[in-house]
Amino acid sequence: MRRPVALRLQAALGTLALAAATGVVLSMPEAAAAAGGATGYATQNGGTTGGEGGQTVRATTGTAIHQALCGRASSSTPITIEVEGTINHGNTSKVSGDSCNTAADKIELKQISNVTLVGVGNGAVFDQLGIHIREASNIVIQNVTVRNVKKSGSPTSNGGDAIGMESDVRNVWVDHTTLEASGGESEGYDGLFDMKANTQYVTLSYSTLRNSGRGGLIGSSESDVSNGYVTFHHNLYENIDSRAPLLRGGTAHMYNNHYKGLSKSGINSRAGAKAKVDSNYFEDSKDVLGTFYTDAAGSWQVSGNIYDNVTWSQPGEDNNPAGPDPQSNTSVSIPYSYPLDDASCVPDVVSATAGANKGLKVSDGSCTPQNPDPTDPTDPTDPTDPDPTDPPTGTNLSIGAGSDGSSKASGTSYGDVRDGDLGTYWSPAGTTGSVSVKWSSATTVSKINIREAAGSAGTIGSYRVLNHDSGAVLASGSGAGVIGFQAVSLKKITFEITGASGTPRIAEFETYAP
């Protein structure tokens, strides 16, 4: 059975009003892009921060994106470009300037650095228009959809790549994007996420890649082996023929991805490449790992993966599948830390987090909800929320309700937190754990009161209050007592202790209506 999904709303997207003029670029007081930083190999080589610290502008056309780049003081002046609406050939023109090098048939991030491109508001869709990164560094692309980019037919863009990187590219973080096509090469499409000609220190995270013949490549030929140090995590590859990815030379780290419906091959490590493949879920696919279509072998280190209805071809001169019982044939050292979900949890986690317009939700590697970011709109310190220091009044809704939790110490009961008796209590089987109050029908709650048993006051450290129905974090903080939050209708509310100075004892978990 899959464990509950781990989610966090990292930050609220911008809600500033859009000017009526089509394609206008507006100066914003602060970035509406998500808080939080890059992950994986994008954290190396000095890190990837994009336009952090620079001006923030809003753009609703491709021309406006290019104007924002060209309007900077220099090609390295930091800038965050918030994008809303559909960007296509009809509203994308070449713009000239000393700080840019743009083109009319793609979004061109060429010979520049320190740029963030983030979808906001109702979303950003790049329709039949690819994003090209060339001779560039420190680029962040987040919360956008790029679809149906063609290399043949009409209109064409970016060599058929949704996002393509080439020629001395360094430090790119692509996060919470949806990259999709409507077929393979015969229909005019190429790769969804390509890197070549000395591209290094790249992370693709929480993204969906689907309905394409080619997921992506690292290295354009067996001689193009100067690319690498690429991380792929918490991505969905769905209905892809091959190249998930194709890796020629270099090192790549794939963890917690969900691969579903790979019809020909998946991770294709060749030409001396090394792939570290951690806790991924492969489903309804063929030849998900190995060296394929060449005798130039690559290698892999595997651990914790699940192979669900995966078929394997027979080895041959140009075919070396890792299965049916994949074993490591190399060792790969990873220079960064990373939280790792169990592979059995990956389909649920990825389904809830990967892709554009998913609220920038992420997993913390433990399949339990994370703390909200301070800018989360459900932050309990919002001045419109009830004062958490007010003593609770009214009826304690927990009396007569149900209860359960994640663990309990011997001799304790979940029911002791809703019996109105301060002399009984529940304790977790350790210093952390969760206890819930639940009702048979939806109940509106806006405040809880956690009462510790005699002799244990001050034991509870950090906590989360969770809407168990949705996984949303209602409040977080430290210590017991009264906790207020925005009123919410739910059937089950959970108090999770994430840190304590000893064994907590909760005598009562009281709940109150607004």
Side-chain angles (χ1 to χ4, degrees):
M1 180 176 291
R2 296 170 183 168
R3 293 183 289 169
V5 68
L7 304 175
R8 175 165 72 114
L9 180 61
Q10 257 190 329
L13 293 179
T15 57
L16 294 173
L18 183 65
T22 301
V24 70
V25 180
L26 299 176
S27 294
M28 297 294 174
E30 59 183 53
T39 55
Y41 273 116
T43 65
Q44 305 299 292
N45 190 44
T48 305
T49 57
E52 183 178 289
Q55 182 187 21
T56 299
V57 302
R58 180 72 63 94
T60 61
T61 68
T63 302
I65 293 173
H66 287 159
Q67 287 172 337
L69 295 172
C70 296
R72 296 184 296 165
S74 73
S75 61
S76 62
T77 301
I79 189 171
T80 293
I81 304 173
E82 297 177 338
V83 184
E84 184 175 21
T86 299
I87 311 301
N88 55 35
H89 287 263
N91 61 32
T92 301
S93 302
K94 175 181 174 64
V95 178
S96 299
D98 294 336
S99 60
C100 63
N101 190 343
T102 70
D105 61 348
K106 62 179 74 71
I107 297 301
E108 186 77 274
L109 308 180
K110 182 178 180 180
Q111 297 168 345
I112 62 174
S113 60
N114 308 325
V115 173
T116 293
L117 203 64
V118 57
V120 297
N122 293 321
V125 176
F126 294 81
D127 185 30
Q128 298 185 286
L129 199 76
I131 299 175
H132 186 223
I133 305 171
R134 181 184 179 95
E135 300 168 65
S137 63
N138 194 22
I139 306 295
V140 174
I141 298 174
Q142 193 170 49
N143 199 42
V144 303
T145 294
V146 187
R147 66 188 184 195
N148 293 332
V149 180
K150 286 190 171 185
K151 68 176 182 178
S152 62
S154 180
T156 61
S157 175
N158 202 29
D161 296 338
I163 296 179
M165 290 160 270
E166 62 177 315
S167 300
D168 303 322
V169 173
R170 293 291 185 273
N171 291 87
V172 177
W173 180 34
V174 177
D175 177 65
H176 284 92
T177 62
T178 297
L179 311 178
E180 56 190 5
S182 297
E185 188 174 21
S186 61
E187 288 78 31
Y189 306 101
D190 197 9
L192 295 177
F193 194 70
D194 280 10
M195 290 156 276
K196 56 190 178 182
N198 197 23
T199 294
Q200 298 181 358
Y201 302 106
V202 175
T203 294
L204 176 67
S205 57
Y206 295 102
S207 292
T208 295
L209 298 86
R210 62 188 174 205
N211 303 336
S212 176
R214 296 169 174 175
L217 58 77
I218 304 172
S220 59
S221 68
E222 307 291 68
S223 61
D224 184 16
V225 294
S226 62
N227 309 279
Y229 305 117
V230 182
T231 301
F232 303 84
H233 74 89
H234 293 95
N235 302 300
L236 171 64
Y237 286 81
E238 184 176 29
N239 191 25
I240 302 288
D241 288 345
S242 62
R243 300 188 182 183
L246 166 58
L247 174 62
R248 293 177 169 119
T251 299
H253 184 199
M254 298 84 171
Y255 72 90
N256 285 162
N257 301 292
H258 186 195
Y259 301 88
K260 185 177 182 180
L262 307 182
S263 62
K264 296 181 180 179
S265 61
I267 300 170
N268 186 353
S269 179
R270 50 200 274 189
K274 290 186 175 184
K276 183 170 174 61
V277 186
D278 284 337
S279 297
N280 301 280
Y281 197 104
F282 299 94
E283 182 177 6
D284 299 337
S285 296
K286 177 184 177 182
D287 284 343
V288 297
L289 175 64
T291 296
F292 306 104
Y293 325 120
T294 182
D295 60 1
S299 56
W300 44 85
Q301 180 180 356
V302 295
S303 64
N305 301 290
I306 291 178
Y307 306 93
D308 180 359
N309 191 31
V310 171
T311 60
W312 302 90
S313 61
Q314 293 296 316
E317 182 177 348
D318 294 334
N319 206 54
N320 181 28
D325 181 24
Q327 300 294 318
S328 300
N329 58 13
T330 192
S331 175
V332 183
S333 177
I334 300 299
Y336 50 83
S337 61
Y338 54 100
L340 193 64
D341 284 308
D342 186 272
S344 64
C345 196
V346 163
D348 285 341
V349 171
V350 169
S351 175
T353 59
N357 305 317
K358 286 289 188 74
L360 299 176
K361 297 173 184 176
V362 303
S363 168
D364 65 358
S366 65
C367 297
T368 55
Q370 290 187 21
N371 289 315
D373 195 271
T375 58
D376 191 307
T378 62
D379 188 338
T381 61
D382 190 306
T384 64
D385 293 346
D387 184 354
T389 63
D390 285 347
T393 58
T395 302
N396 174 12
L397 303 173
S398 299
I399 301 296
S403 56
D404 58 23
S406 62
S407 64
K408 57 184 177 181
S410 177
T412 71
S413 170
Y414 300 124
D416 288 339
V417 303
R418 54 173 181 79
D419 61 0
D421 184 355
L422 292 175
T424 62
Y425 60 86
W426 162 85
S427 285
T431 58
T432 62
S434 64
V435 63
S436 302
V437 173
K438 58 184 180 179
W439 300 270
S440 59
S441 59
T443 300
T444 299
V445 179
S446 66
K447 188 179 296 185
I448 68 172
N449 189 22
I450 301 298
R451 297 180 181 267
E452 293 178 285
S456 65
T459 303
I460 294 175
S462 57
Y463 68 77
R464 302 179 181 114
V465 181
L466 313 173
N467 178 340
H468 189 87
D469 300 351
S470 68
V473 179
L474 302 177
S476 63
S478 60
V482 180
I483 303 166
F485 42 84
Q486 294 275 6
V488 60
S489 178
L490 42 65
K491 290 185 177 181
K492 185 175 179 179
I493 188 168
T494 299
F495 182 75
E496 181 182 25
I497 302 168
T498 58
S501 58
T503 301
R505 297 178 179 180
I506 296 181
E508 290 297 304
F509 179 173
E510 301 173 352
T511 54
Y512 295 90

